[in-house]
Amino acid sequence: VERMNNIDYLVNTVVVFNLTIFSFWQIATCRSDDLSLDSLKQLQIYRQLMYDHFTVSYDGVFNRGLYHTLLTSTFSHMNILHLGFNMTALIQLMSHSSIAKNLGPTKFLYLYLGGGVVSSLCQVMHKHISSNSNRSSRSISLPIYRSLGASGAISAIKAWSVFRAPNEVVDVVIYGQVVKMKNIEYGALLFFVDVIGMIANISIPLTFDQLVLGAINPSTIGYAAHVGGAVYGAVLSFFKL
């Protein structure tokens, strides 16, 4: 119980959970060239289990009732860079922001878990709506979109800290340059980029992690998840939760 009241312990636990799920993905996505037929079948079952329970999709939530994936997907990363960037962002946020550092375990869990669920829901709804628009205009059947990652939950914590300490000065790295900005200025810039990316459905790499992930796969960046998480964090801050 004493450990659970320690914010550093909780943050480290969240990081360990994310690392654990990442290791599960490495087994699920391993090369299958040299496997026997029975081993290949077992791998396919395991791989489908990971996709079913550690990614979130509109079909999974609303058609198959996999509501838990709104949360489990926020601990899930398939790509080492995606994992590394998100966990680094979480640790830096909790270490360097005076507000976030004094967040407390209960509020941290409200923000990370609640922000994760809200951001996952926003992401799948956004993709469902945009996919339906594309389908009606092109008369084609599009594949199921799946989402995963902790960035929406981290956006909730960031937004909460922005509104609790708007004038706190932070060092922001943009395209390799360190820029000093007020918390509220940086938060507004991130929110603006995320909203434009969500509406226009394009990749707008502002930070180094977005630049790298966007170059690998533009659809990797879940702008709707960022927006949903940020709004959730802002609402909790507004109500002083």
Side-chain angles (χ1 to χ4, degrees):
V1 175
E2 184 177 346
R3 284 186 175 181
M4 293 304 290
N5 289 327
N6 186 308
I7 187 65
D8 291 332
Y9 177 79
L10 278 178
V11 172
N12 290 336
T13 300
V14 167
V15 173
V16 169
F17 278 176
N18 278 272
L19 288 169
T20 301
I21 303 304
F22 172 74
S23 67
F24 292 165
W25 275 115
Q26 302 319 294
I27 299 172
T29 56
C30 69
R31 294 186 61 180
S32 56
D33 299 348
D34 300 325
L35 295 179
S36 65
L37 185 59
D38 287 340
S39 296
L40 181 59
K41 288 181 179 178
Q42 291 176 356
L43 177 61
Q44 289 173 338
I45 292 172
Y46 174 70
R47 184 176 295 166
Q48 189 60 50
L49 182 146
M50 290 297 296
Y51 275 106
D52 284 344
H53 298 288
F54 290 97
T55 68
V56 64
S57 66
Y58 183 91
D59 177 70
V61 173
F62 293 100
N63 296 333
R64 301 173 59 194
L66 300 175
Y67 304 115
H68 61 281
T69 59
L70 291 168
L71 180 60
T72 57
S73 62
T74 65
F75 292 91
S76 183
H77 301 79
M78 295 175 65
N79 184 289
I80 184 65
L81 291 175
H82 191 197
L83 172 72
F85 287 138
N86 276 346
M87 293 304 98
T88 299
L90 176 63
I91 292 170
Q92 287 182 338
L93 177 61
M94 297 305 297
S95 300
H96 296 162
S97 168
S98 60
I99 289 294
K101 239 181 4 181
N102 298 308
L103 186 60
T106 302
K107 289 180 180 178
F108 172 76
L109 289 177
Y110 275 143
L111 284 165
Y112 188 93
L113 301 180
V117 171
V118 170
S119 61
S120 293
L121 185 60
C122 289
Q123 185 67 19
V124 297
M125 288 302 299
H126 172 257
K127 284 297 180 181
H128 177 71
I129 293 170
S130 60
S131 294
N132 280 345
S133 175
N134 289 334
R135 185 182 295 115
S136 61
S137 62
R138 301 179 188 177
S139 301
I140 59 174
S141 178
L142 298 175
I144 295 174
Y145 174 86
R146 298 178 182 272
S147 178
L148 73 171
S151 57
I154 296 169
S155 292
I157 300 173
K158 177 61 181 174
W160 187 91
S161 69
V162 162
F163 285 98
R164 283 304 176 92
N167 294 319
E168 180 181 18
V169 177
V170 293
D171 291 331
V172 180
V173 180
I174 300 179
Y175 302 128
Q177 300 296 318
V178 178
V179 181
K180 289 188 178 296
M181 303 178 71
K182 288 184 178 180
N183 226 355
I184 191 67
E185 294 171 341
Y186 183 45
L189 179 61
L190 286 177
F191 191 75
F192 174 76
V193 168
D194 287 333
V195 169
I196 296 300
M198 179 184 69
I199 294 175
N201 202 25
I202 57 174
S203 175
I204 308 175
L206 177 64
T207 55
F208 178 71
D209 58 332
Q210 293 177 341
L211 181 65
V212 174
L213 293 175
I216 295 173
N217 183 357
S219 65
T220 300
I221 303 175
Y223 289 112
H226 298 175
V227 171
V231 170
Y232 174 83
V235 169
L236 260 61
S237 179
F238 178 78
F239 287 104
K240 301 188 183 304
L241 297 177

